[in-house]
Amino acid sequence: MGRFIIRRLLYMVVVILVVSFITFGLMHAVPGGPFDAEKALPPDIIKNLEKRYHLDEPLVMQYLRYLNAVFIPQFSSEGLTGDVEDDSLVNIKITDTFWIKWMNFGPTFSSRSRTVNDIFRQQLPISVQLGLNALFVALILGIPLGIISALKQNTIFDYLSMSIAIFGVSVPVIVLGPLMIWIFAVTLKWVPATGWGAQPPYVLGVFPSDLGWKYWEKALMPSIALGLGSSAIIARLTRASLLQVIREDYIRTARAKGVKESMVIVRHALKNSMIPVVTILGPMIAALVTGTFVTELTFGIPGMGKYFVTSITNRDYPVIMGTILLYAVFLVVANLLVDIMYAFLDPRIRYD
Amino acid sequence: MRSKIFVVAGLFIVASLILSACQVTPSPAAEAETIVETVIVESAPQTVVITTVPEAVVPAEEKKSLTFNFGVGDVPTIDPSLGTDTSSIQVAVETFVGLTRLNEVTNAVEPGMATAWRSVVNEDGTETITFTLRDDVPWVRFNGKTVEQVLDEEGNVRLVTAHDFYYGILRTLNPETASDYAYVLGMTLVGASAYNNGETDDPTTVGVEVLDDFTIALSFLEPVAYNPAIAGMWITFAEPQWIIEERGDKWTEAGFFQGYGPYVLKEWVHDASLTMIKNPFWPGTDNIPVPKIEEITGLMLDQSPAMAEYETGNVDMVSVPLGDIDRVKTDPVLSAEFVIAPHFCTYYYGFNTAADYVNDVRVRRALSMAIDRQALIENVLKGGQEAAQWFSRPGLAGAPTIQTHPDLGVKSDAEAAKTELQSYLDETGLTAADLDLTLMFNTSDGQRIVAEAVQQMWSDTLGVNVKLVNQEWKVYLNTVRSADTPQIYRMSWCLDYPDANNFIREVFAKNGSSNPFTDGEPSGGVHYQNEYFNQLLLEAASESDPVKRVEMYAEAENILVMEDAVIAPIYWYTRTTLTKPYVTRTFSTGGQEYFEKWDVNMEMKSEN
């Protein structure tokens, strides 16, 4: 298992490099640049801006400059200089005048005083919190609903559960969100309509430090709205998978041996039926925790999701690279976890 | 196996979050607030924990406060040298004050930091304006608890001086600053363009001169009417050299920021909100009074959630989303809070006058006159916009108005449109169906509904079938400035400084924003070359008789939209806003509000 994980982590480096290369190529191939605006800027002004962000250099140079800043640890005589150009995610102090800095994702073109690392530090934790909440909602709703409808197939419970699932899939956040706001915030005034309750510093850099009502009054609606769609997918997958597993030979064997029905379901059927669910959980987690554009926009949550979209419309190259690489890392890591889970769920799967 | 534990532990953490939520939490009234900030002290990073107790002396209800919405997305910058958008400039004009200051409603030039100015036209045709500054305005900062005056090394209060304005202007022009709006100074100030494009790095060649601590002289290339307005633009504001040199680009962050306007930056939660607090050291002048409202908070919400917050009472003013306008107009409460105010932007369709069919002025005129602007406004736009008869928004200095020039420019006239087109068709032997025309707009629902309505009008009135094509915004911007500019394309323009020159000349004269030239030939946009038109605009800019000046612009507008029909102006913008009845306010036409003139009735607010 250990060797498998190490091998996969090495693959990950390759994957990230390939992703960075393709993203860099694609974003520069798209017509239009970061400084095109409704009011055309004179060439002199564009020249100054391009020089500032090194966009006047050949593309190969720009790419190498980026790789160097992001992947290669740099040595510096200064710690945090406050200079926007010099903002690294990892700063290790060796001595007062010798620092190792790593992962400088560069400036943002849309905001002069902020860097891509600022976005990671300030916006990513909020998206992770929302994403984990939504994931929790998805699991706590989706798995029981799927089990009930599989065990009580073609009964009123099955139909009811699957109706909820279909509702969850077919009513997107863009409809559900404003509806929830209208009912619970505007009409009933139970919760605020927008905003996010957690503030830095975060526990472990990610989790909210105060989990009182001040946090949940703002987190409940978006978490449920976002989780509902995913819960529906999980419920349907759980149902289909469980229905199939229940008809397997080893379940019949277990029953024939006289194992209690509840044990048959929990120990044997459920565990094996989780494989498809776990499979989609990988990409689902990566998608949820790196930010969700519509949910964050609808509920006015200052998360990452917006940057995935606006960076592309603004041709904000460093932010495009940063968000895509971030997503790639989350996806690769989540899929690695999924593969490891396989071995746990299905004894037939072995990696060594 | 470790990963199993990890997943289980992860779920456990999430579950514990939910459980702990059920605990009763104390009322958050006067909780101590802990702010951890990383402060850079001589290259050694330190984490300083500042514990502040919100001033509990004055109950929160009694402090006058106001919340509005910037719109979705972080405020890009509050650095005066760098601002290009409404939100950035909004914060800049409240935290700084220019040499002059525009009246937000009438757009008249009023005193700002300069109490008086004197103009001299030099022998070489340039104009030097000498500004006398106030000597009682200190630099201030918010220190986490209150607003305090900034002291210099000797412990004296730092006053805003001519040197700070000099530094600000030179910093805007410095090529390393890479300021977008430096080009406005480049066009107007002596020597500014050469300094900005790196031809010279000698700051003394720029037409800015400090005469003494409170006197500064600016030399302008042309003696034009709008020079004092340029001197009030955000790109010329005084800037705190000491803090910018110390903090670099981060100087605009809360904690570092220093300003001197009626408000000071208090807190900036990126992507969420920005709060400004009253500057108690602002002396208060006739046109820039001491603020009555203690705190102004701008949220960064999309239109619909902002509307919801307005209805729940958490936001005091909001712009109305298109989808809500019909409901707002019929709602008895909301309709009373609803105001449509003019906004200085123009929406137009440009013609590529070098492209097939639209290279004939009769076709362009026919298309322009066949647009029923009033119907478009009433049925599609719904925001009380004004039908545009020409390009420069009325209300700008030099621009004609509907009152003085009711028949100027282009009006919707189906019969005249048919006659114009028929004359072209008869001469060329074509039929209306032969005209292969394309209208391009940037991908957006707002643009699409306008384009579809206009397409229908052209089809109904002229029998012309126009194809609709859309492109993603940045791709579109490149297309409409290239030789491949489509026959008809949509664009809009908003004010930088309130003068007709900023509209008609900066957009459509040779090398304007929508009329680029390469090697002396039109190379994109409207592809429009008319020497008389260019000369007329040049002369109008420096005409000193205001009445004559308006007539010159009226003539130019008539050439642009009627004689040559280079564009079809469609509408003049308005802003549709809802404001709570307990807010006393003004309605700015340029886009920036002057909150120091506003008031909030807190008794009424708490009842709301």
PDB file of all heavy atoms in Angstrom, chain A residues 272-295:
ATOM      1  N   ASN A 272     -20.240  -3.381   0.342  1.00  0.00           N
ATOM      2  CA  ASN A 272     -19.886  -3.576  -1.055  1.00  0.00           C
ATOM      3  C   ASN A 272     -20.613  -2.612  -1.987  1.00  0.00           C
ATOM      4  O   ASN A 272     -20.088  -2.232  -3.021  1.00  0.00           O
ATOM      5  CB  ASN A 272     -20.201  -5.011  -1.464  1.00  0.00           C
ATOM      6  CG  ASN A 272     -19.056  -5.919  -1.117  1.00  0.00           C
ATOM      7  OD1 ASN A 272     -18.044  -5.930  -1.793  1.00  0.00           O
ATOM      8  ND2 ASN A 272     -19.185  -6.631  -0.001  1.00  0.00           N
ATOM      9  N   SER A 273     -21.821  -2.249  -1.583  1.00  0.00           N
ATOM     10  CA  SER A 273     -22.571  -1.364  -2.476  1.00  0.00           C
ATOM     11  C   SER A 273     -22.033   0.062  -2.433  1.00  0.00           C
ATOM     12  O   SER A 273     -22.437   0.904  -3.215  1.00  0.00           O
ATOM     13  CB  SER A 273     -24.051  -1.370  -2.095  1.00  0.00           C
ATOM     14  OG  SER A 273     -24.214  -0.749  -0.837  1.00  0.00           O
ATOM     15  N   MET A 274     -21.129   0.328  -1.515  1.00  0.00           N
ATOM     16  CA  MET A 274     -20.598   1.692  -1.397  1.00  0.00           C
ATOM     17  C   MET A 274     -19.551   2.016  -2.466  1.00  0.00           C
ATOM     18  O   MET A 274     -19.162   3.165  -2.637  1.00  0.00           O
ATOM     19  CB  MET A 274     -19.978   1.897  -0.001  1.00  0.00           C
ATOM     20  CG  MET A 274     -20.988   2.178   1.105  1.00  0.00           C
ATOM     21  SD  MET A 274     -21.905   3.711   0.855  1.00  0.00           S
ATOM     22  CE  MET A 274     -23.496   3.082   0.390  1.00  0.00           C
ATOM     23  N   ILE A 275     -19.086   0.985  -3.183  1.00  0.00           N
ATOM     24  CA  ILE A 275     -18.002   1.243  -4.140  1.00  0.00           C
ATOM     25  C   ILE A 275     -18.360   2.299  -5.192  1.00  0.00           C
ATOM     26  O   ILE A 275     -17.614   3.271  -5.369  1.00  0.00           O
ATOM     27  CB  ILE A 275     -17.515  -0.074  -4.774  1.00  0.00           C
ATOM     28  CG1 ILE A 275     -16.742  -0.830  -3.688  1.00  0.00           C
ATOM     29  CG2 ILE A 275     -16.656   0.167  -6.017  1.00  0.00           C
ATOM     30  CD1 ILE A 275     -16.037  -2.053  -4.158  1.00  0.00           C
ATOM     31  N   PRO A 276     -19.504   2.200  -5.868  1.00  0.00           N
ATOM     32  CA  PRO A 276     -19.836   3.267  -6.830  1.00  0.00           C
ATOM     33  C   PRO A 276     -20.020   4.623  -6.153  1.00  0.00           C
ATOM     34  O   PRO A 276     -19.667   5.664  -6.717  1.00  0.00           O
ATOM     35  CB  PRO A 276     -21.140   2.806  -7.463  1.00  0.00           C
ATOM     36  CG  PRO A 276     -21.459   1.485  -6.926  1.00  0.00           C
ATOM     37  CD  PRO A 276     -20.501   1.123  -5.865  1.00  0.00           C
ATOM     38  N   VAL A 277     -20.563   4.594  -4.932  1.00  0.00           N
ATOM     39  CA  VAL A 277     -20.781   5.869  -4.228  1.00  0.00           C
ATOM     40  C   VAL A 277     -19.440   6.523  -3.929  1.00  0.00           C
ATOM     41  O   VAL A 277     -19.246   7.724  -4.175  1.00  0.00           O
ATOM     42  CB  VAL A 277     -21.572   5.631  -2.921  1.00  0.00           C
ATOM     43  CG1 VAL A 277     -21.756   6.932  -2.167  1.00  0.00           C
ATOM     44  CG2 VAL A 277     -22.914   4.992  -3.228  1.00  0.00           C
ATOM     45  N   VAL A 278     -18.518   5.729  -3.426  1.00  0.00           N
ATOM     46  CA  VAL A 278     -17.194   6.262  -3.097  1.00  0.00           C
ATOM     47  C   VAL A 278     -16.503   6.767  -4.365  1.00  0.00           C
ATOM     48  O   VAL A 278     -15.809   7.783  -4.349  1.00  0.00           O
ATOM     49  CB  VAL A 278     -16.357   5.179  -2.377  1.00  0.00           C
ATOM     50  CG1 VAL A 278     -14.902   5.601  -2.316  1.00  0.00           C
ATOM     51  CG2 VAL A 278     -16.899   4.948  -0.978  1.00  0.00           C
ATOM     52  N   THR A 279     -16.733   6.069  -5.468  1.00  0.00           N
ATOM     53  CA  THR A 279     -16.106   6.482  -6.728  1.00  0.00           C
ATOM     54  C   THR A 279     -16.493   7.906  -7.108  1.00  0.00           C
ATOM     55  O   THR A 279     -15.648   8.716  -7.470  1.00  0.00           O
ATOM     56  CB  THR A 279     -16.521   5.523  -7.858  1.00  0.00           C
ATOM     57  OG1 THR A 279     -16.242   4.199  -7.440  1.00  0.00           O
ATOM     58  CG2 THR A 279     -15.762   5.835  -9.130  1.00  0.00           C
ATOM     59  N   ILE A 280     -17.794   8.211  -7.006  1.00  0.00           N
ATOM     60  CA  ILE A 280     -18.176   9.578  -7.399  1.00  0.00           C
ATOM     61  C   ILE A 280     -17.873  10.574  -6.288  1.00  0.00           C
ATOM     62  O   ILE A 280     -17.836  11.782  -6.516  1.00  0.00           O
ATOM     63  CB  ILE A 280     -19.659   9.706  -7.796  1.00  0.00           C
ATOM     64  CG1 ILE A 280     -20.543   9.287  -6.647  1.00  0.00           C
ATOM     65  CG2 ILE A 280     -19.959   8.981  -9.078  1.00  0.00           C
ATOM     66  CD1 ILE A 280     -21.823  10.075  -6.587  1.00  0.00           C
ATOM     67  N   LEU A 281     -17.640  10.059  -5.079  1.00  0.00           N
ATOM     68  CA  LEU A 281     -17.346  10.970  -3.967  1.00  0.00           C
ATOM     69  C   LEU A 281     -16.050  11.747  -4.227  1.00  0.00           C
ATOM     70  O   LEU A 281     -15.931  12.904  -3.838  1.00  0.00           O
ATOM     71  CB  LEU A 281     -17.225  10.160  -2.672  1.00  0.00           C
ATOM     72  CG  LEU A 281     -17.958  10.694  -1.451  1.00  0.00           C
ATOM     73  CD1 LEU A 281     -19.369  11.117  -1.782  1.00  0.00           C
ATOM     74  CD2 LEU A 281     -17.973   9.637  -0.348  1.00  0.00           C
ATOM     75  N   GLY A 282     -15.090  11.133  -4.884  1.00  0.00           N
ATOM     76  CA  GLY A 282     -13.804  11.784  -5.158  1.00  0.00           C
ATOM     77  C   GLY A 282     -13.979  13.097  -5.895  1.00  0.00           C
ATOM     78  O   GLY A 282     -13.720  14.178  -5.353  1.00  0.00           O
ATOM     79  N   PRO A 283     -14.482  13.026  -7.143  1.00  0.00           N
ATOM     80  CA  PRO A 283     -14.701  14.277  -7.871  1.00  0.00           C
ATOM     81  C   PRO A 283     -15.698  15.195  -7.182  1.00  0.00           C
ATOM     82  O   PRO A 283     -15.582  16.423  -7.262  1.00  0.00           O
ATOM     83  CB  PRO A 283     -15.238  13.826  -9.231  1.00  0.00           C
ATOM     84  CG  PRO A 283     -15.192  12.356  -9.263  1.00  0.00           C
ATOM     85  CD  PRO A 283     -14.720  11.832  -7.955  1.00  0.00           C
ATOM     86  N   MET A 284     -16.675  14.582  -6.471  1.00  0.00           N
ATOM     87  CA  MET A 284     -17.691  15.413  -5.817  1.00  0.00           C
ATOM     88  C   MET A 284     -17.054  16.285  -4.736  1.00  0.00           C
ATOM     89  O   MET A 284     -17.336  17.482  -4.638  1.00  0.00           O
ATOM     90  CB  MET A 284     -18.772  14.518  -5.216  1.00  0.00           C
ATOM     91  CG  MET A 284     -20.013  15.252  -4.778  1.00  0.00           C
ATOM     92  SD  MET A 284     -21.209  14.125  -4.021  1.00  0.00           S
ATOM     93  CE  MET A 284     -22.126  13.584  -5.431  1.00  0.00           C
ATOM     94  N   ILE A 285     -16.179  15.665  -3.935  1.00  0.00           N
ATOM     95  CA  ILE A 285     -15.509  16.432  -2.875  1.00  0.00           C
ATOM     96  C   ILE A 285     -14.674  17.552  -3.498  1.00  0.00           C
ATOM     97  O   ILE A 285     -14.756  18.715  -3.088  1.00  0.00           O
ATOM     98  CB  ILE A 285     -14.599  15.513  -2.021  1.00  0.00           C
ATOM     99  CG1 ILE A 285     -15.453  14.540  -1.220  1.00  0.00           C
ATOM    100  CG2 ILE A 285     -13.731  16.336  -1.085  1.00  0.00           C
ATOM    101  CD1 ILE A 285     -14.648  13.479  -0.481  1.00  0.00           C
ATOM    102  N   ALA A 286     -13.890  17.193  -4.520  1.00  0.00           N
ATOM    103  CA  ALA A 286     -13.032  18.198  -5.145  1.00  0.00           C
ATOM    104  C   ALA A 286     -13.861  19.362  -5.662  1.00  0.00           C
ATOM    105  O   ALA A 286     -13.497  20.530  -5.498  1.00  0.00           O
ATOM    106  CB  ALA A 286     -12.224  17.576  -6.277  1.00  0.00           C
ATOM    107  N   ALA A 287     -15.012  19.045  -6.266  1.00  0.00           N
ATOM    108  CA  ALA A 287     -15.844  20.106  -6.822  1.00  0.00           C
ATOM    109  C   ALA A 287     -16.473  20.949  -5.721  1.00  0.00           C
ATOM    110  O   ALA A 287     -16.555  22.169  -5.828  1.00  0.00           O
ATOM    111  CB  ALA A 287     -16.927  19.506  -7.709  1.00  0.00           C
ATOM    112  N   LEU A 288     -16.913  20.296  -4.639  1.00  0.00           N
ATOM    113  CA  LEU A 288     -17.610  21.029  -3.583  1.00  0.00           C
ATOM    114  C   LEU A 288     -16.670  21.944  -2.803  1.00  0.00           C
ATOM    115  O   LEU A 288     -17.011  23.088  -2.526  1.00  0.00           O
ATOM    116  CB  LEU A 288     -18.298  20.061  -2.621  1.00  0.00           C
ATOM    117  CG  LEU A 288     -19.567  19.368  -3.130  1.00  0.00           C
ATOM    118  CD1 LEU A 288     -20.079  18.376  -2.086  1.00  0.00           C
ATOM    119  CD2 LEU A 288     -20.651  20.380  -3.458  1.00  0.00           C
ATOM    120  N   VAL A 289     -15.494  21.426  -2.443  1.00  0.00           N
ATOM    121  CA  VAL A 289     -14.655  22.214  -1.533  1.00  0.00           C
ATOM    122  C   VAL A 289     -13.846  23.301  -2.238  1.00  0.00           C
ATOM    123  O   VAL A 289     -13.352  24.212  -1.581  1.00  0.00           O
ATOM    124  CB  VAL A 289     -13.708  21.337  -0.683  1.00  0.00           C
ATOM    125  CG1 VAL A 289     -14.496  20.358   0.149  1.00  0.00           C
ATOM    126  CG2 VAL A 289     -12.689  20.652  -1.549  1.00  0.00           C
ATOM    127  N   THR A 290     -13.700  23.236  -3.557  1.00  0.00           N
ATOM    128  CA  THR A 290     -12.939  24.304  -4.213  1.00  0.00           C
ATOM    129  C   THR A 290     -13.837  25.470  -4.602  1.00  0.00           C
ATOM    130  O   THR A 290     -13.385  26.425  -5.209  1.00  0.00           O
ATOM    131  CB  THR A 290     -12.219  23.800  -5.476  1.00  0.00           C
ATOM    132  OG1 THR A 290     -13.170  23.131  -6.298  1.00  0.00           O
ATOM    133  CG2 THR A 290     -11.086  22.870  -5.131  1.00  0.00           C
ATOM    134  N   GLY A 291     -15.091  25.391  -4.248  1.00  0.00           N
ATOM    135  CA  GLY A 291     -15.952  26.549  -4.499  1.00  0.00           C
ATOM    136  C   GLY A 291     -16.995  26.261  -5.547  1.00  0.00           C
ATOM    137  O   GLY A 291     -16.728  25.622  -6.545  1.00  0.00           O
ATOM    138  N   THR A 292     -18.184  26.778  -5.276  1.00  0.00           N
ATOM    139  CA  THR A 292     -19.295  26.561  -6.198  1.00  0.00           C
ATOM    140  C   THR A 292     -19.871  27.916  -6.557  1.00  0.00           C
ATOM    141  O   THR A 292     -20.389  28.633  -5.714  1.00  0.00           O
ATOM    142  CB  THR A 292     -20.361  25.695  -5.525  1.00  0.00           C
ATOM    143  OG1 THR A 292     -20.471  26.094  -4.168  1.00  0.00           O
ATOM    144  CG2 THR A 292     -19.983  24.241  -5.585  1.00  0.00           C
ATOM    145  N   PHE A 293     -19.737  28.251  -7.816  1.00  0.00           N
ATOM    146  CA  PHE A 293     -20.047  29.588  -8.319  1.00  0.00           C
ATOM    147  C   PHE A 293     -21.464  30.027  -7.976  1.00  0.00           C
ATOM    148  O   PHE A 293     -21.670  31.057  -7.329  1.00  0.00           O
ATOM    149  CB  PHE A 293     -19.825  29.581  -9.835  1.00  0.00           C
ATOM    150  CG  PHE A 293     -20.115  30.888 -10.505  1.00  0.00           C
ATOM    151  CD1 PHE A 293     -19.397  32.014 -10.171  1.00  0.00           C
ATOM    152  CD2 PHE A 293     -21.096  30.985 -11.471  1.00  0.00           C
ATOM    153  CE1 PHE A 293     -19.646  33.226 -10.789  1.00  0.00           C
ATOM    154  CE2 PHE A 293     -21.357  32.192 -12.098  1.00  0.00           C
ATOM    155  CZ  PHE A 293     -20.630  33.312 -11.752  1.00  0.00           C
ATOM    156  N   VAL A 294     -22.460  29.225  -8.375  1.00  0.00           N
ATOM    157  CA  VAL A 294     -23.854  29.669  -8.248  1.00  0.00           C
ATOM    158  C   VAL A 294     -24.266  29.798  -6.787  1.00  0.00           C
ATOM    159  O   VAL A 294     -24.861  30.799  -6.381  1.00  0.00           O
ATOM    160  CB  VAL A 294     -24.793  28.713  -9.008  1.00  0.00           C
ATOM    161  CG1 VAL A 294     -26.242  29.112  -8.794  1.00  0.00           C
ATOM    162  CG2 VAL A 294     -24.453  28.716 -10.478  1.00  0.00           C
ATOM    163  N   THR A 295     -23.906  28.802  -5.968  1.00  0.00           N
ATOM    164  CA  THR A 295     -24.305  28.851  -4.565  1.00  0.00           C
ATOM    165  C   THR A 295     -23.685  30.065  -3.876  1.00  0.00           C
ATOM    166  O   THR A 295     -24.355  30.787  -3.134  1.00  0.00           O
ATOM    167  CB  THR A 295     -23.854  27.565  -3.843  1.00  0.00           C
ATOM    168  OG1 THR A 295     -24.291  26.451  -4.612  1.00  0.00           O
ATOM    169  CG2 THR A 295     -24.439  27.492  -2.450  1.00  0.00           C
TER     170      THR A 295
END
